[in-house]
Amino acid sequence: MGHKPTKFIAAVEEAEISNIQAIAQKLREKGCVIRDVLSFTGVISGTTSGNESKLDDLKIKGIKYIEEDGEIRAL
């Protein structure tokens, strides 16, 4: 049994920002719904499929860190 889908923010490593679309596609292949791909800042936001046991399961190559997206906006 999975968990409920979680909104997340993933920060892409600076050296991988040029590959941000490919990284977002890999997250889609894992079942995520991608909301935004911000290539200027290197941030991907979206919602998990709910099949992961924890967010770190989505930390694929090129992602510096991934965290739950709270409602607080830093921008």
Side-chain angles (χ1 to χ4, degrees):
M1 165 129 182
H3 303 271
K4 76 181 192 51
T6 306
K7 287 183 179 175
F8 68 84
I9 298 267
V12 175
E13 292 170 9
E14 283 167 37
E16 297 289 335
I17 288 178
S18 59
N19 300 324
I20 195 167
Q21 293 295 342
I23 293 167
Q25 184 56 35
K26 286 185 182 138
L27 290 172
R28 284 186 189 99
E29 289 164 10
K30 289 181 169 281
C32 297
V33 175
I34 301 303
R35 202 169 56 239
D36 271 318
V37 178
L38 306 171
S39 18
F40 184 72
T41 53
V43 171
I44 299 170
S45 66
T47 309
T48 66
S49 65
N51 295 328
E52 310 76 16
S53 56
K54 58 191 187 307
L55 270 180
D56 271 352
D57 292 350
L58 295 172
K59 193 174 174 206
I60 57 175
K61 181 182 179 319
I63 291 180
K64 191 178 349 183
Y65 65 85
I66 187 164
E67 62 186 25
E68 195 168 332
D69 181 8
E71 294 308 305
I72 301 164
R73 289 272 166 249
L75 302 176

